[in-house]
Amino acid sequence: MPQQFRNFINGKWIEAKSGRTFENRNPAHWNEVIGLFPKSGPEDVADAVRAARAAFEKWRLVPAPARGDMLRKIGDLLVKSKEEIAREMTREMGKVLTETRGDVQEGIDTAYYAATEGRRLFGHTVPSELPDKFAMAIRIPVGVAGIITPWNFPMAIPTWGIFPAILSGNTVVFKPASDTPKTAVRLVEIMMEAGIPEGVVNLIFGGGGEVGNAIVSHPDVDLVLFTGSTEIGKQILRDGSSTLKRISLELGGKNAQIVMDDADLDLALDGILWGAFGTTGQRCTATSRLILHEKIYDPFMTMLVDRTRKLRLGDGLLQGSEVGPCINEGQRKIVDSYVTIGKAEGARLRCGGSIASGGELANGWFYEPTIFDGVLPSMRIAREEIFGPVLSVLKTNSLDDAVTILNDTVYGLSSSMYTRDVNNAFRAIRDIKAGITYINVPTIGAEAHLPFGGVKQTGNGHREGGWAVYDFFTEWKSVYIDYSGRLQRAQIDNYESGS
Ligand code: NAP
């Protein structure tokens, strides 16, 4: 029998009220069941929210530096468990071991950053317009935070939400993606081992339509941090509007890398392979479009197709595997359907384009790394997020044209340009409409201490990561202290003469 896991509410591991479960399977070996997880519903969410609300009244009073000390301990415990968690994560979601190690490392970095923020959480002191009066603005926690996360970064993305939420004094109801529940269990176990009090972090498993929706609609959840698809993000904004809760959305992308004719082509090649096929193309920041200067188009394409054909698909736990499987059968079908669309639109298939089924690969959801060229900006494969190992290549003849093509999308998450010309680099930084721009770096590689997020339909203006996320998880309270001993009327007594 596979191991059975439970929800975590108010410091206790308990079954869903329905008593029902769902399976979690290894995408590289579909026959392998990793565990059974509770199929929860709104009634379980209500219990978790109640626990989080009760815990909030105590947790908000714990000094922020003491909360920071717990975050530091969480970081230390993650360091100790890094290899074990990375292996479990590869089994659960397929990306290769070097990448799952990086995923845990991002959680470690986020924990240590949050620990330092416990001794900052800066407010402002400002001069008052009246004599003998003191004015300041301080940060206060908001309340109960719902954290809803996708499967592609099962450790990093939950930590981007949960760690700043609790450091700021909020309590949490956490719903991980149904494809990656096991990593969520390990994260919560580690937080408990570090001394996070009961009720501060609650974990509920189950489908987005049931558990996710119940969190978003619950009147006692004050804020929701959601990372996932643009389609679900829009729905969350609608569902949360009736209670006017604060909502942070980090959504899809259609990221592009520009390669100019003066670029270091070997460097640009390494960048595009990592950006397009790392994590099997299943990153919100994955390079989905390559915009190539016409002067280097043919030699670069030859090099790119040659290297792509040599990428080794396989179980991410095996030495030498470079590209793991798609997350599940449904996602692989979506990828395959976009290949059919690309061919029908008249793009030229340069490599890949099929389900990979040789030998051991037949047991998992593998898809060949795929490249289309001759792609036009109007084609669906140049406009829609595919979320798999498919790269669309477009031709350009100038920087202005390249930036226009890059900006021609509803998304605005990540972007990259390879050039040796510093003037071109700064013009691109100025003109590209995206939350992140890399120069001579692929579209992936965000660091935990910088703001992370996108413009246009990639989000709704908030940022995860770095110092910026603390603006989401705190309210500003303005405080005035008058020590004059008399009534002083702002805007009136100090301008009584009329001047
Ligand atoms: P998704 O289908 O939108 O799901 C994300 C999370 O939302 C999952 O936990 C899902 O639960 C839950 N959910 C589904 N329907 C819901 C509903 N009606 N109400 C509330 N929650 C609901 O996305 P995904 O397939 O997991 O991840 C891929 C997408 O995430 C891509 O579009 C990618 O670009 C985006 N992403 C964005 C960022 C970023 O920072 N901008 C980072 C990573 C990924 P279930 O798993 O149970 O369905």
Side-chain angles (χ1 to χ4, degrees):
M1 269 297 284
Q3 196 179 352
Q4 192 151 341
F5 294 87
R6 297 186 165 90
N7 291 326
F8 188 72
I9 302 177
N10 208 19
K12 292 181 188 61
W13 296 98
I14 53 175
E15 282 173 17
K17 290 211 161 100
S18 70
R20 293 186 301 153
T21 56
F22 66 92
E23 285 179 348
N24 177 26
R25 287 172 178 257
N26 181 343
H29 300 280
W30 185 239
N31 290 332
E32 190 182 314
V33 179
I34 291 169
L36 298 175
F37 290 82
K39 209 169 191 175
S40 315
E43 59 285 1
D44 303 293
V45 170
D47 285 350
V49 174
R50 212 171 295 118
R53 174 59 57 193
F56 174 66
E57 289 309 324
K58 287 189 190 153
W59 183 242
R60 71 186 178 86
L61 301 178
V62 174
R67 296 195 294 253
D69 289 343
M70 287 185 218
L71 262 304
R72 192 171 303 103
K73 187 141 185 232
I74 291 171
D76 293 344
L77 291 168
L78 283 171
V79 169
K80 274 196 203 149
S81 307
K82 181 173 170 179
E83 188 62 20
E84 166 242 320
I85 296 174
R87 287 183 172 275
E88 281 293 322
M89 197 193 297
T90 293
R91 232 181 118 218
E92 174 165 72
M93 62 77 67
K95 64 185 174 187
V96 299
L97 198 49
T98 45
E99 294 190 35
T100 50
R101 286 183 188 129
D103 195 322
V104 183
Q105 186 59 44
E106 208 161 328
I108 294 166
D109 298 343
T110 303
Y112 288 147
Y113 185 91
T116 66
E117 197 61 38
R119 289 187 183 270
R120 266 192 309 262
L121 277 186
F122 291 142
H124 297 280
T125 57
V126 291
S128 167
E129 64 187 50
L130 288 160
D132 299 330
K133 191 174 171 191
F134 182 85
M136 64 183 170
I138 57 172
R139 291 177 185 274
I140 55 169
V142 187
V144 175
I147 308 284
I148 303 174
T149 56
W151 45 263
N152 62 341
F153 281 84
M155 176 63 73
I157 292 181
T159 67
W160 290 359
I162 296 171
F163 292 174
I166 60 175
L167 185 281
S168 303
N170 306 288
T171 54
V172 163
V173 177
F174 168 35
K175 186 215 126 27
S178 297
D179 280 307
T180 50
K182 182 77 191 295
T183 308
V185 170
R186 287 299 291 125
L187 174 59
V188 169
E189 284 172 349
I190 280 176
M191 286 190 278
M192 294 311 116
E193 198 182 334
I196 299 295
E198 59 189 34
V200 171
V201 175
N202 304 274
L203 170 65
I204 304 282
F205 297 106
E210 300 80 38
V211 171
N213 183 271
I215 292 172
V216 175
S217 313
H218 199 294
D220 217 17
V221 171
D222 301 288
L223 67 176
V224 170
L225 184 129
F226 171 81
T227 312
S229 61
T230 294
E231 184 195 348
I232 302 292
K234 287 180 182 173
Q235 192 179 323
I236 284 178
L237 212 49
R238 284 193 295 272
D239 294 343
S241 65
S242 61
T243 48
L244 284 181
K245 51 177 58 81
R246 186 185 290 200
I247 295 177
S248 167
L249 303 173
E250 287 302 340
L251 310 173
K254 188 70 184 174
N255 316 291
Q257 173 177 317
I258 298 170
V259 181
M260 296 299 290
D261 52 339
D262 62 13
D264 176 334
L265 296 190
D266 291 322
L267 187 67
L269 182 62
D270 285 342
I272 191 68
L273 287 164
W274 175 225
F277 303 119
T279 321
T280 319
Q282 301 174 119
R283 288 187 183 221
C284 52
T285 52
T287 316
S288 186
R289 296 176 294 155
L290 170 63
I291 303 169
L292 262 186
H293 197 283
E294 60 185 8
K295 286 193 189 150
I296 44 111
Y297 192 94
D298 289 334
F300 194 86
M301 282 306 297
T302 304
M303 283 161 38
L304 174 60
V305 169
D306 180 50
R307 284 276 298 276
T308 303
R309 285 206 176 109
K310 289 182 184 141
L311 289 172
R312 275 163 300 179
L313 270 75
D315 179 342
L317 287 172
L318 296 178
Q319 190 93 25
S321 294
E322 292 173 292
V323 181
C326 297
I327 184 68
N328 55 38
E329 187 178 20
Q331 191 56 37
R332 185 169 73 171
K333 277 191 182 145
I334 291 173
V335 170
D336 199 40
S337 72
Y338 271 105
V339 169
T340 306
I341 290 166
K343 287 184 198 160
E345 286 179 314
R348 188 158 59 126
L349 184 65
R350 293 292 299 264
C351 64
S354 301
I355 285 170
S357 54
E360 280 287 302
L361 300 183
N363 301 324
W365 307 123
F366 292 92
Y367 202 88
E368 292 173 351
T370 299
I371 299 177
F372 279 106
D373 80 345
V375 177
L376 302 175
S378 58
M379 291 180 180
R380 285 181 63 191
I381 58 167
R383 309 189 76 77
E384 297 174 20
E385 185 180 47
I386 299 174
F387 225 59
V390 180
L391 177 68
S392 299
V393 186
L394 300 97
K395 197 181 272 189
T396 187
N397 55 17
S398 69
L399 176 65
D400 286 345
D401 180 62
V403 171
T404 301
I405 294 171
L406 186 147
N407 285 340
D408 186 13
T409 164
V410 296
Y411 299 107
L413 182 52
S414 188
S415 56
S416 147
M417 184 164 87
Y418 281 74
T419 181
R420 288 176 166 126
D421 182 329
V422 70
N423 297 352
N424 278 346
F426 273 90
R427 282 174 58 208
I429 292 166
R430 185 193 62 197
D431 295 337
I432 286 174
K433 296 189 178 87
I436 307 168
T437 296
Y438 295 96
I439 302 296
N440 295 329
V441 185
T443 58
I444 63 182
E447 300 179 25
H449 56 297
L450 272 78
F452 181 91
V455 302
K456 299 197 271 182
Q457 292 192 26
T458 290
N460 62 340
H462 294 288
R463 288 290 181 273
E464 296 177 355
W467 62 91
V469 72
Y470 291 89
D471 288 333
F472 179 71
F473 283 117
T474 53
E475 298 272 18
W476 282 108
K477 175 180 272 195
S478 297
V479 182
Y480 301 93
I481 304 148
D482 191 315
Y483 53 98
S484 70
R486 61 183 187 278
L487 173 65
Q488 298 199 86
R489 296 172 301 174
Q491 296 94 40
I492 297 172
D493 293 340
N494 43 340
Y495 290 105
E496 220 165 19
S497 65
S499 58

